[in-house]
Amino acid sequence: MKTTLIYIRILLLAAVFVSCKKDDYFIGGSLHNPKFEGTTYEYLKTNPLFDTLLLLIDRTGLKDEVNAAGTTFFAPSDYSIHNYVKKVVQKRKQLEANDENLVFNFDELNYPQLKDSLRAYIFGEKIVRDGLNKDGKYFTSKDGERRYIALRDDPSNTYQNSGLTTIPKYIYFMKVYGDVDPIVNDQVPDEEKDTRIVAQTTGIITNNGVLHVLSNNHIFTFAKEPK
């Protein structure tokens, strides 16, 4: 699967994380207090970016797991779920039916089958920036699989043109195939590369745990687009 290396514009200010107070986080290019007086589920309800995600949580019966004490949730946005529905499931069905006009919608998903797919983003421990580094480490999600999570420098050098003097650091959420790829993995065949997803917002502290938001370009379930 091709590596996902998306550098969201709102993250270009992430370098200020290094110099700002540790009780701040970035969202939408603005500095915010990270503490939300409510549960993770309640936070998601405050933002229309998660309307479809909330439906998925409800229909898979995972609200209590998302809200469990000491939980970290790497939330896929509505865009990620839309990518899965349209770019993966709908495309597969079009190919199977040999009908490029076939339409498949979110409401037609088999929700019980997606329960563990959503659990792949939920962790029974608090995962925060201060506990991560470029070398990364494995964490076991609620579906029983391991995800590799690291805090790494922005390799794009775009920060140099934005007036920032400190290299921005991004949380990478990765599905590893075999051994962990080197940071520069140009020599790894595309079909063997780890899937790396950038967190576009990090460090939201809710009453029950920690919330990070994944890049909108991520495809929910880590599925590969059929060809």
Side-chain angles (χ1 to χ4, degrees), residues 18-159:
V18 177
S19 58
C20 71
K21 296 182 299 180
K22 289 185 178 179
D23 59 349
D24 293 326
Y25 79 100
F26 278 102
I27 182 171
S30 301
L31 197 61
H32 290 254
N33 187 312
K35 187 66 177 75
F36 175 75
E37 292 300 335
T39 65
T40 297
Y41 184 91
E42 288 170 338
Y43 178 88
L44 296 173
K45 289 182 70 173
T46 68
N47 192 326
L49 184 65
F50 305 115
D51 288 349
T52 306
L53 174 61
L54 287 165
L55 285 173
L56 185 60
I57 291 171
D58 290 342
R59 294 179 185 184
T60 54
L62 290 178
K63 179 179 177 180
D64 287 345
E65 289 194 26
V66 169
N67 281 343
T71 294
T72 297
F73 187 30
F74 281 83
S77 72
D78 289 358
Y79 291 99
S80 294
I81 298 170
H82 179 271
N83 291 338
Y84 171 70
V85 172
K86 295 301 182 181
K87 294 182 178 181
V88 177
V89 182
Q90 178 173 283
K91 184 62 175 178
R92 284 175 183 166
K93 293 186 176 295
Q94 287 175 342
L95 292 172
E96 290 168 0
N98 193 27
D99 180 4
E100 64 181 11
N101 296 314
L102 183 151
V103 176
F104 184 90
N105 295 308
F106 173 80
D107 287 337
E108 300 175 79
L109 289 171
N110 186 321
Y111 300 106
Q113 288 185 358
L114 290 175
K115 194 165 188 174
D116 270 349
S117 296
L118 188 54
R119 280 183 170 139
Y121 300 86
I122 305 171
F123 297 80
E125 59 185 297
K126 291 185 177 181
I127 303 171
V128 296
R129 292 175 62 93
D130 286 349
L132 301 171
N133 57 39
K134 66 179 179 62
D135 296 324
K137 58 183 177 180
Y138 282 103
F139 295 85
T140 301
S141 61
K142 287 291 186 176
D143 72 338
E145 292 192 9
R146 298 194 305 165
R147 294 287 176 263
Y148 196 77
I149 303 173
L151 184 69
R152 293 179 174 173
D153 293 344
D154 171 17
S156 69
N157 293 323
T158 54
Y159 69 93

Side-chain angles (χ1 to χ4, degrees), residues 137-195:
K137 58 183 177 180
Y138 282 103
F139 295 85
T140 301
S141 61
K142 287 291 186 176
D143 72 338
E145 292 192 9
R146 298 194 305 165
R147 294 287 176 263
Y148 196 77
I149 303 173
L151 184 69
R152 293 179 174 173
D153 293 344
D154 171 17
S156 69
N157 293 323
T158 54
Y159 69 93
Q160 293 180 345
N161 299 320
S162 62
L164 299 176
T165 57
T166 304
I167 301 175
K169 293 183 182 292
Y170 300 84
I171 289 182
Y172 286 84
F173 184 72
M174 309 180 211
K175 182 172 183 177
V176 174
Y177 302 93
D179 296 328
V180 178
D181 290 351
I183 293 177
V184 178
N185 62 350
D186 294 343
Q187 302 304 312
V188 180
D190 285 347
E191 64 274 12
E192 298 176 10
K193 285 182 178 178
D194 300 338
T195 302

